[in-house]
Amino acid sequence: KYLIIGHVNFRDNATGERQLSIRLNGSTIIARMTTSSNGTASDEYAVTATYYSLAATDYVELIAWQDSGGALFVDVNQNASIEFMMVKVP
């Protein structure tokens, strides 16, 4: 079993949804969070996590998605965003 956590800070934008997913082996979503903009141009912090059994050949990816209608950047700050981590839990 592994604890898998992802965090992304989407830059400020007043429209659309933001979604953060953890994907297993390129196809299966094993965790997802979705948030809608609150109508003000403010940053959106997205965090998703799962506790999941993985085999030796499995791999996971963090997928960030948005539909604001244009390009929407994510912050890339040391120790803040983008974070993707996994720890084996006994």
Side-chain angles (χ1 to χ4, degrees):
K1 293 271 189 179
Y2 291 85
L3 177 61
I4 310 164
I5 304 167
H7 172 264
V8 170
N9 179 26
F10 289 95
R11 296 302 306 266
D12 56 335
N13 188 290
T15 61
E17 288 186 346
R18 317 290 181 263
Q19 194 172 87
L20 191 61
S21 302
I22 298 172
R23 186 167 65 185
L24 174 65
N25 298 328
S27 61
T28 304
I29 301 298
I30 58 174
R32 174 179 286 154
M33 70 78 55
T34 302
T35 185
S36 294
S37 175
N38 62 9
T40 62
S42 60
D43 288 359
E44 297 283 337
Y45 298 92
V47 178
T48 192
T50 187
Y51 181 62
Y52 204 84
S53 293
L54 298 174
T57 58
D58 287 338
Y59 68 95
V60 292
E61 302 167 280
L62 184 65
I63 309 296
W65 173 88
Q66 61 87 24
D67 70 348
S68 67
L72 182 59
F73 298 103
V74 296
D75 278 333
V76 180
N77 296 323
Q78 184 178 7
N79 298 324
S81 176
I82 303 167
E83 296 286 334
F84 189 41
M85 61 205 92
M86 180 169 69
V87 62
K88 187 173 183 179
V89 180

